[in-house]
Amino acid sequence: MMNTDESLIAAHCRGDQNAFGEILHRYGDSVLGYLIKMTGNKEQAEDLFQETFKRVHEKSHTFQGAEFKSWLFRIATNITYDGFRKKQRTESKCLKANFSTEDGDDPVSMATADNSFNPSVATVKAEQVEQVRHAVESLPEKQKAALVLAYYQQLSYREVALALDCSVGTVKTQMYRALKTLAQKLPEVEL
């Protein structure tokens, strides 16, 4: 029988070190991917990742049976916002990791592996990916968080609302605004 998230947290609170390892194994890649998308910087994301799981470890006793995944992403989001406030970003960061495949390949390297490689198509695709990265990067924090959680982490709007500590209506509004902004900035990008 597979352990539920709630039972793993309870076991961790009782001192079971393996339980926390299972939580980390279950959600580590997803949280790191989210943090990379939010910050656009892998090193900063790795620092926030460590802080997120440190806080999960320290605050696990406060988990009260809500949806664990939403609780975890709320912690990651709050830590990200804290990081944004502490470090005023002076330059645009690359969100390359946002649009890579699970293997970390970008569209250009994927196209070169394909025998039907067409340099002009690969160049256009790479330019479009870069445009999308910059457009997502330029979104306000709350819009970007809602977009990344809903699309990239595939959380429902209810789960996004729990993660961002807001109402489902607020999530819908943030999503609407984010998509409207992206549509204005990226009128001809087809991804």
Side-chain angles (χ1 to χ4, degrees):
M1 183 174 111
M2 188 171 168
N3 289 327
T4 65
D5 295 335
E6 292 77 15
S7 67
L8 289 172
I9 282 291
H12 171 65
C13 288
R14 290 189 305 269
D16 183 350
Q17 294 177 351
N18 292 330
F20 192 75
E22 177 62 26
I23 291 168
L24 187 59
H25 176 73
R26 232 178 241 189
Y27 292 106
D29 289 344
S30 184
V31 170
L32 182 59
Y34 169 68
L35 294 170
I36 289 171
K37 288 174 181 79
M38 287 299 294
T39 63
N41 179 296
K42 188 175 181 182
E43 289 178 12
Q44 183 180 10
E46 289 170 346
D47 290 343
L48 294 174
F49 174 85
Q50 290 180 1
E51 183 61 30
T52 297
F53 279 96
K54 176 183 174 197
R55 186 126 355 132
V56 167
H57 171 70
E58 293 170 349
K59 301 291 183 182
S60 59
H61 66 282
T62 66
F63 177 72
Q64 299 197 1
E67 300 221 9
F68 177 76
K69 189 173 184 180
S70 298
W71 182 76
L72 173 63
F73 278 100
R74 180 184 299 173
I75 291 171
T77 299
N78 289 341
I79 287 172
T80 301
Y81 287 166
D82 290 347
F84 285 154
R85 284 188 283 272
K86 288 178 185 173
K87 181 179 180 181
Q88 292 294 333
R89 293 166 31 157
T90 57
E91 62 183 358
S92 177
K93 303 288 183 181
C94 177
L95 288 173
K96 180 177 180 183
N98 288 355
F99 302 97
S100 63
T101 64
E102 290 177 5
D103 298 330
D105 295 332
D106 61 31
V108 175
S109 59
M110 286 173 49
T112 57
D114 185 358
N115 291 336
S116 63
F117 174 66
N118 181 335
S120 62
V121 172
T123 302
V124 169
K125 193 70 162 171
E127 289 173 3
Q128 288 177 338
V129 167
E130 193 62 28
Q131 289 173 345
V132 172
R133 285 181 195 147
H134 289 294
V136 171
E137 176 70 23
S138 70
L139 290 173
E141 290 176 11
K142 291 181 182 180
Q143 291 177 24
K144 183 168 43 170
L147 181 81
V148 170
L149 287 169
Y151 280 110
Y152 295 105
Q153 300 303 322
Q154 300 180 344
L155 269 64
S156 69
Y157 281 5
R158 187 177 68 74
E159 291 172 319
V160 173
L162 288 171
L164 299 180
D165 197 22
C166 64
S167 70
V168 172
T170 300
V171 171
K172 289 179 180 179
T173 300
Q174 294 299 334
M175 287 296 294
Y176 173 78
R177 290 176 180 166
L179 294 173
K180 183 177 176 182
T181 300
L182 291 176
Q184 290 171 348
K185 290 183 176 189
L186 306 166
E188 298 187 22
V189 173
E190 296 177 27
L191 288 179

